[in-house]
Amino acid sequence: MLRLLGGMADGVRLRHRVVEAAVRALDVIGGDAEEVVPVLRRLLDSECAGVAAGALWSVEGDASAVLPVLIRELGVADAERRRVAAEVLGRLGVSARAATPGLARMVGAGCAWERVAGACALWRVGREVGRVLPVLRSAWVEQPGCGVSWPRVWSTWGGGGASP
C-alpha cells in the first residue's frame, strides 16, 4: 500500500479516491509506523488530508499533529472532506475542543448528512446535548437513512445524557 500511496502521479484521474482508500485501509489494519508516518504527513496537505490525519492519529495518537489540519478541513468547500474531518475530530474526543466552532457551523448545514457528522463529533468533543439532540432528531425525521451513525452517540450518553 505504501508503494501505491507514494507512486501515483498527481495528474492521475481519481487519484484522491485511490489514495483515500489506501489510507483508510492503513488506518484499519495499521502498518509499520516508521514507514507509514512520513507518507501520511505528506498527505496532510492534499485533498486526502482528513483521512491521512485519521490514520496518523491512529498510528501516533498525537492530537497536536492532526488538529490544525482537521480544523482547516472543516472550512473547505467540499462537504465530504468536512464530514471526514468531523468523524476524525470525534475520534480525538476532548483533545479536539479547539474545533468546536467549526463543528458548530456544520450542525447548521443544509445537508442532513453533514449536520449529523458535525453533531456526532460535537457530542464526542464537547458533550453538548443541547446542541446535538435537536439536530439528530430533525435529521432523522428529514432523512432516516443518515441516522445510521448516531445511535452510537445515544449509547455513549449513559446516565449523563438525555434520552432520545
Side-chain angles (χ1 to χ4, degrees):
M1 260 186 265
L2 290 175
R3 284 191 202 144
L4 177 65
L5 289 174
M8 286 192 75
D10 286 337
V12 175
R13 186 173 175 269
L14 298 177
R15 175 187 183 272
H16 70 286
R17 295 289 184 211
V18 174
V19 171
E20 185 177 300
V23 170
R24 285 184 190 274
L26 283 172
D27 191 11
V28 171
I29 63 172
D32 184 4
E34 235 173 76
E35 293 179 47
V36 172
V37 169
V39 174
L40 294 174
R41 287 191 183 276
R42 281 193 303 273
L43 291 171
L44 294 177
D45 289 321
S46 74
E47 57 193 355
C48 300
V51 292
L56 191 59
W57 166 253
S58 293
V59 171
E60 291 189 320
D62 180 8
S64 67
V66 297
L67 188 55
V69 173
L70 295 167
I71 291 173
R72 182 191 72 216
E73 288 292 293
L74 290 178
V76 300
D78 184 334
E80 176 60 25
R81 287 176 60 182
R82 290 192 303 270
R83 285 194 303 268
V84 168
E87 289 168 11
V88 176
L89 286 162
R91 288 172 40 202
L92 268 66
V94 295
S95 299
R97 279 197 188 262
T100 300
L103 294 170
R105 280 191 302 276
M106 285 183 72
V107 166
C111 170
W113 290 94
E114 188 170 354
R115 288 194 312 270
V116 168
C120 288
L122 198 55
W123 166 251
R124 291 182 186 108
V125 168
R127 299 289 198 236
E128 298 190 29
V129 176
R131 272 191 189 171
V132 171
L133 185 60
V135 171
L136 295 178
R137 283 182 173 162
S138 69
W140 188 36
V141 168
E142 178 185 326
Q143 180 125 21
C146 72
V148 172
S149 63
W150 64 264
R152 285 177 290 187
V153 174
W154 299 137
S155 71
T156 65
W157 285 10
S163 144

